[in-house]
Amino acid sequence: MKKIYLLILLALIGIKVSLAQPSAQTDPDIYVCGPCNGSCDNLQFDKPGKCPHCGMVLVKTKLSDFKKQLALKPVTICFYLQDGVEVLDFAGPMEVFIAAGFNVFTVSKNYKPLRAQTILFVTPDYTVDDAPPADILAVFGGDTGPGVIDSTVIAWIKKQKVQSYFSVCTGAFILGKAGLLDNLTATTYHLQIENLQKAYPKTKVLANTRFVDNGSVITTAGISAGIDGALHVVEKLRGRAYARGVAEAIEYDKWVPENGLVINK
């Protein structure tokens, strides 16, 4: 009789194990293209190798994680540009965000083509009067004086209902004028650290820091540091593995995530 009970028990255990095995297979490992903002970002493969469409090395991930990435709401970023804006200040982060699959549009005070660093003309997509809503508002360095960033622009910035603000280089002065750096920690172009501190004494300004993340306000150091800050934004929203894939896609091998300061992790 004991043997019969033991056989029944083992049979029951065997049934439970066999039922559990198929469920484990519902979340298999798959291989996907590193983010390149192409249609192949939505494809999945069953073995390692290179993407046949763009040539990116395929990345191993879980099917469930891949589905979560695909289901995420697209991120919309507004780039406010002004006459005299530094080219790499906005072009570097723009490359990062586009590779990450984010929606980027440009805004200026009016539709007149603006001159970036005296050599490049840029026609904005929108003006401060008709710009659509965005998740993130980004501002950049170059000429950020009162003749360019006047009260109309500052009033527009203050009205924006965004999730976060992002500045590169002396774009921090624009956020400061809008009162967005009060009682926060920030950074800017290395030659403007003292000037930013004098202009906005309520702000703690740090040197030798690639970016400072206060949660809803992120500032970066000068020019190329904007790329690091943009990758940090991608990491916050999509994870480090995804951000690293973006860095590889744009061949930026200098990214060190820990080079920035994240306050209140």
Side-chain angles (χ1 to χ4, degrees):
M1 185 65 69
K2 290 183 179 180
K3 290 183 179 180
I4 294 175
Y5 284 134
L6 180 60
L7 289 173
I8 293 173
L9 179 60
L10 290 174
L12 289 173
I13 293 174
I15 291 171
K16 290 181 179 179
V17 171
S18 63
L19 289 175
Q21 286 176 342
S23 65
Q25 296 303 313
T26 60
D27 192 17
D29 290 331
I30 61 170
Y31 296 86
V32 299
C33 174
C36 64
N37 198 34
S39 59
C40 49
D41 285 355
N42 299 323
L43 301 179
Q44 53 181 289
F45 304 87
D46 58 4
K47 58 184 178 181
K50 290 186 177 181
C51 176
H53 300 276
C54 70
M56 290 282 290
V57 175
L58 298 178
V59 180
K60 184 178 179 181
T61 186
K62 287 290 185 182
L63 177 60
S64 60
D65 291 336
F66 182 59
K67 288 182 177 180
K68 287 178 183 177
Q69 288 285 357
L70 293 180
L72 288 173
K73 175 181 175 291
V75 178
T76 301
I77 305 181
C78 170
F79 275 38
Y80 179 82
L81 305 179
Q82 71 279 1
D83 270 318
V85 64
E86 165 65 46
V87 175
L88 189 57
D89 273 14
F90 74 88
M94 183 178 286
E95 187 74 26
V96 170
F97 293 139
I98 289 175
F102 295 176
N103 298 324
V104 179
F105 63 86
T106 57
V107 173
S108 194
K109 186 176 178 181
N110 52 52
Y111 279 114
K112 180 182 177 181
L114 57 96
R115 190 190 290 263
Q117 286 290 298
T118 74
I119 58 171
L120 177 68
F121 282 98
V122 180
T123 302
D125 298 314
Y126 302 96
T127 73
V128 295
D129 296 320
D130 58 13
D135 300 308
I136 300 172
L137 173 60
V139 294
F140 308 92
D143 188 351
T144 57
V148 177
I149 311 298
D150 59 18
S151 58
T152 301
V153 175
I154 297 302
W156 173 77
I157 291 175
K158 288 181 176 180
K159 287 193 308 181
Q160 300 311 296
K161 297 180 180 179
V162 296
Q163 296 174 10
S164 58
Y165 300 89
F166 176 78
S167 74
V168 178
C169 197
T170 54
F173 283 82
I174 301 176
L175 296 186
K177 290 176 185 178
L180 295 168
L181 297 184
D182 289 353
N183 304 313
L184 297 182
T185 303
T187 190
T188 187
Y189 182 55
H190 68 103
L191 294 181
Q192 293 293 329
I193 295 291
E194 291 185 8
N195 290 336
L196 184 65
Q197 186 65 80
K198 290 177 181 178
Y200 306 105
K202 293 182 180 180
T203 304
K204 181 180 179 181
V205 183
L206 300 180
N208 303 313
T209 307
R210 295 294 278 178
F211 65 83
V212 177
D213 179 357
N214 292 274
S216 61
V217 178
I218 299 173
T219 58
T220 82
I223 312 178
S224 66
I227 298 175
D228 298 78
L231 285 168
H232 173 68
V233 172
V234 174
E235 180 184 1
K236 283 185 69 173
L237 298 176
R238 294 293 187 263
R240 180 163 297 187
Y242 193 88
R244 196 169 297 283
V246 171
E248 292 174 358
I250 65 173
E251 292 194 289
Y252 184 65
D253 59 359
K254 306 299 183 184
W255 184 45
V256 181
E258 292 76 16
N259 270 359
L261 172 64
V262 180
I263 298 173
N264 299 325
K265 287 187 179 181

